[in-house]
Amino acid sequence: MPRTLDPQIKRTLAERIRFYNELGIYDFYRREGLPAEIPLESAPPQIQLEPREPMTPRAKAVVAAPAVEGDLFEVANPKPESKVTDPAKALRIVREDLGDCTRCRLHKQGRKQIVFGVGNPRAQLMFIGEAPGADEDEQGEPFVGRAGQLLNNMIRAMGLQREDVYIANIIKCRPPGNRTPERDECETCSPFLMRQIAVIKPEVIVALGAVAAKTLLAINAPMAELRGHWYDFRGTKLAVTYHPAFLLRDPRQKKEAWKDLQMVMKEMGMPIPTKSAE
Ligand code: SF4
């Protein structure tokens, strides 16, 4: 049976959502363990909303459940880009909303600039990596260093150009010394990536490396287990392959990455060339 919320609770939730919206956060999840039914007699302050659910080991097929019913979001502010039909304009709105972001500690740990994302706003295929490195921080564009050159080769091997796809990272500022991003940094930054994905609406997402895969899927598993499967990421098909930086360190794994890309091409109905990325 459809649930209806008490108007007072609804107003309180809407205010809480607006508060998060002002921080640039638009995606909400219900914590595991929260009762499925919100008692109508509950006082509003008892309601717990979290901008992200905790990353815990989970089954491979992940479908994020919205925290609140759709009609509640109509009460709260919609995402500012949601009324814009041109995805390029919508992405500009997301970028403006991000601003000169200081939402996590990485803004004061030596970043030169925010690396938002690059590519076709209507891309059918989206690659998502981990974080900008030194070259990306310098140029303001993801995957422009040696790893970027390899990613370009991988894209070309698929019969595409870099301009055909969209490329982004889980976090948008370079971590000092290229360290792995902390979980809270990923959680703070990734809502903007979610908005980029929602605007672009790719047919397929390829997560490059374990950090991207684990953050998007909330699965704590080794790459050997993450690869070779299709996942449902909020209605979009998602596959996992090695990060190009890893492939530079261990070129023997390029063959395996090529298998992953062939799986993607097959799913997207693309002709599969015989030559792999070098
Ligand atoms: S990593 Fe993301 S959340 Fe953190 S300061 Fe940069 S843009 Fe903001």
Side-chain angles (χ1 to χ4, degrees), residues 98 101-104 106-107 111 114 171-173 188-189:
L98 181 64
C101 183
T102 58
R103 292 172 179 83
C104 85
L106 291 178
H107 83 278
R111 82 162 182 216
I114 290 171
I171 61 167
K172 302 188 187 305
C173 298
T188 305
C189 198

Side-chain angles (χ1 to χ4, degrees), residues 229-278:
H229 305 281
W230 282 109
Y231 302 87
D232 180 350
F233 178 73
R234 305 178 178 198
T236 301
K237 285 169 269 186
L238 187 147
V240 177
T241 193
Y242 292 115
H243 194 288
F246 171 78
L247 295 175
L248 289 173
R249 293 195 297 275
D250 188 355
R252 290 169 305 172
Q253 302 302 327
K254 283 183 183 177
K255 275 186 194 160
E256 294 301 308
W258 181 234
K259 285 183 197 166
D260 299 332
L261 297 183
Q262 285 178 312
M263 186 179 92
V264 170
M265 285 185 275
K266 189 175 172 199
E267 185 68 25
M268 296 181 75
M270 296 164 58
I272 300 179
T274 51
K275 191 175 177 300
S276 67
E278 294 298 336

Side-chain angles (χ1 to χ4, degrees), residues 68-162:
V68 288
E69 302 300 339
D71 62 344
L72 182 58
F73 282 101
E74 289 168 17
V75 177
N77 285 341
K79 291 181 180 100
E81 67 275 16
S82 62
K83 292 196 179 86
V84 178
T85 52
D86 178 355
K89 273 189 197 159
L91 286 175
R92 280 199 293 277
I93 291 171
V94 179
R95 180 64 189 89
E96 281 166 17
D97 212 1
L98 181 64
D100 189 20
C101 183
T102 58
R103 292 172 179 83
C104 85
R105 67 179 77 80
L106 291 178
H107 83 278
K108 54 182 178 184
Q109 296 195 346
R111 82 162 182 216
K112 288 190 177 152
Q113 55 188 313
I114 290 171
V115 180
F116 183 67
V118 71
N120 182 352
R122 298 177 193 271
Q124 294 296 297
L125 179 60
M126 189 165 174
F127 288 94
I128 299 177
E130 179 180 317
D135 293 317
E136 290 75 19
D137 185 46
E138 193 69 48
Q139 297 185 41
E141 185 172 323
F143 285 94
V144 290
R146 282 184 66 226
Q149 292 307 311
L150 179 54
L151 179 61
N152 291 348
N153 289 346
M154 292 161 72
I155 293 167
R156 274 197 292 272
M158 297 176 77
L160 298 170
Q161 298 297 318
R162 182 176 167 96

